[in-house]
């Protein structure tokens, strides 16, 4: 018997999430110490450096103390002026300067940068917990400035995992932008933004970015837009955007004003 099948094309509502975002949680972004730890722990057999990472980790049983002094995080793309600003803030506020990933992870970073996203992102996620422990100690003695923290970890991971244009990012309010409940929340997060041309100039002056192909630049432009938009969507302490194109001193004064308003320093 000839059974002919009939097919219809019917309109349906747009999906809630872009397909490329479905796997972000716990494979690109980890929302607890335990989830990131589990990945690094399982790598021990194939990546000897994983053992070194675990030795640097704070004890999970330890109660994390809330620092007495304000903790200010400075975020932004490469060459937006984070190093310049964080060092000036350290000097002008008499603060302690920390970074994420912390200095003690630096020798291990190149190794994990070669790994697939799951492992690489778990490494950076754990870096924030090590920095948070240092913040807990140093923040009892003086204000703390942190060069990159959770916003960087999540924003770069989300922007890399989501292909295509900025509109493919999960919508504002999506759970991918939430702050891990077991991670210390800074008093203020400042996001430095810079016009792409000025950023390129600064990279060039620093001796980088001279040989980028046009196509590569276009690709990077899209990536940069996605990172910045992801930065802005991350909740917990939301970041305050500061235009980093004025002189280093003007940017410092602008951020000092924000710190005075928010942290009374
Ligand atoms: N406000 C500014 N105006 C002009 N040049 C700046 C300013 N801030 C930083 N720079 C220069 O831009 C380059 C990148 O700054 P840097 O602080 O290293 O950025 P990041 O740490 O974000 O990568 C450096 O050569 C630095 O001297
Ligand atoms: N807290 C952090 C800091 C950096 N990262 C990742 C995100 C990016 O892939 C790189 C950016 O580091 P990069 O070396 O460009 O940064 P700096 O030169 O230190 O400003 O590291 C992270 O995941 N979490």
């Amino acid at each position: 018997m000839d059974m002919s099948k009939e097919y219809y094309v019917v309109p349906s509502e747009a999906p809630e999430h872009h397909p490329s975002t479905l796997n972000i949680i716990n494979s690109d972004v980890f929302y607890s110490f335990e989830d990131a730890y589990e990945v690094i722990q399982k790598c021990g057999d194939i990546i000897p450096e994983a053992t070194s990472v675990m030795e640097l980790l704070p004890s999970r049983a330890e109660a994390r103390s809330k620092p007495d002094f304000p903790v200010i995080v400075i975020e932004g793309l490469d060459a937006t002026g984070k190093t310049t600003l964080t060092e000036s803030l350290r000097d002008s506020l008499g603060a302690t300067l920390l970074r994420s990933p912390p200095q003690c992870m630096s020798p291990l970073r190149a190794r994990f940068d070669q790994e697939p996203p799951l492992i690489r992102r778990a490494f950076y996620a754990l870096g924030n917990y090590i920095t948070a422990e240092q913040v807990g100690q140093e923040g009892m003695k003086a204000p703390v400035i942190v060069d990159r923290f959770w916003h960087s970890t999540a924003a770069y991971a989300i922007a890399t995992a989501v292909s295509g244009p900025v509109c493919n990012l999960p919508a504002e309010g999506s759970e991918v932008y939430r702050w891990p409940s077991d991670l210390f929340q800074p008093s203020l997060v400042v996001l430095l933004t810079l016009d792409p041309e000025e950023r390129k100039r600064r990279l060039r002056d620093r001796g980088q970015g001279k040989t980028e192909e046009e196509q590569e630049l276009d690709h990077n432009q899209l990536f940069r837009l996605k990172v910045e938009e992801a930065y802005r969507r991350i909740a917990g302490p939301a970041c305050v955007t500061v235009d980093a194109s004025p002189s280093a001193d003007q940017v410092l004064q602008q951020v000092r004003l924000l710190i005075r308003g928010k942290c009374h320093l």
Side-chain angles (χ1 to χ4, degrees):
M1 199 168 58
D2 181 19
M3 296 275 287
S4 64
K5 285 183 183 166
E6 290 187 41
Y7 295 95
Y8 300 92
V9 176
V10 291
S12 75
E13 281 183 17
E16 195 184 336
H17 300 290
H18 186 273
S20 63
T21 69
L22 295 176
N23 288 325
I24 287 178
I25 295 169
N26 280 342
S27 54
D28 294 292
V29 186
F30 298 90
Y31 296 89
S32 74
F33 178 94
E34 288 294 335
D35 288 334
Y37 180 82
E38 204 182 318
V39 172
I40 297 298
Q41 192 184 30
K42 284 185 179 152
C43 295
D45 292 344
I46 44 162
I47 308 173
E49 288 84 350
T51 315
S52 312
V53 173
M54 287 193 291
E55 283 164 6
L56 296 171
L57 295 175
S59 142
R60 275 158 289 169
E62 232 168 75
R64 287 188 191 92
S65 43
K66 196 179 176 306
D68 289 339
F69 286 87
V71 179
I72 298 120
V73 171
I74 307 297
E75 291 281 7
L77 293 165
D78 192 25
T80 46
K82 296 183 299 302
T83 307
T84 309
L85 175 66
T86 51
E87 290 178 354
S88 305
L89 286 172
R90 175 197 58 198
D91 298 342
S92 61
L93 294 172
T96 304
L97 175 54
L98 298 173
R99 63 182 60 251
S100 176
Q103 219 84 60
C104 59
M105 282 180 120
S106 301
L108 305 167
R109 201 169 165 184
R111 178 67 169 89
F112 284 91
D113 275 345
Q114 296 166 15
E115 294 300 327
L118 178 80
I119 299 171
R120 180 163 185 259
R121 301 300 178 191
F123 169 82
Y124 281 104
L126 290 179
N128 293 315
Y129 289 91
I130 301 176
T131 298
E133 201 204 21
Q134 297 173 347
V135 165
Q137 291 159 359
E138 297 303 323
M140 292 300 179
K141 299 177 257 177
V144 179
I145 306 297
V146 191
D147 187 338
R148 293 194 187 271
F149 195 53
W150 168 258
H151 273 78
S152 280
T153 309
Y156 278 80
I158 293 166
T160 310
V162 175
S163 57
V166 176
C167 63
N168 283 356
L169 285 172
E172 193 144 17
S174 157
E175 56 179 337
V176 305
Y177 302 117
R178 73 178 185 272
W179 194 271
S181 56
D182 59 355
L183 184 65
F184 163 79
Q185 294 195 13
S187 331
L188 173 67
V189 180
V190 172
L191 170 66
L192 299 181
T193 58
L194 201 55
D195 160 71
E197 286 307 312
E198 171 61 13
R199 195 179 148 268
K200 249 186 279 172
R201 233 182 336 265
R202 290 188 190 177
L203 276 170
R204 245 193 323 267
D205 292 348
R206 213 170 55 171
Q208 287 168 307
K210 285 180 193 153
T211 57
E212 280 173 307
E213 302 276 337
E214 209 52 47
Q215 202 187 347
E216 174 77 332
L217 275 177
D218 286 348
H219 170 76
N220 284 346
Q221 169 68 355
L222 198 55
F223 175 67
R224 283 198 298 272
L225 288 172
K226 280 190 286 186
V227 175
E228 284 196 342
E229 189 50 36
Y231 266 134
R232 291 194 185 92
R233 291 184 187 181
I234 290 167
C239 55
V240 181
T241 303
V242 167
D243 175 17
S245 47
S247 73
D249 194 51
Q250 283 172 300
V251 175
L252 172 67
Q253 293 320 320
Q254 176 70 28
V255 174
R256 288 282 314 258
L257 269 179
L258 282 175
I259 295 175
R260 201 164 303 144
K262 181 87 201 219
C263 313
H264 313 292
L265 276 183

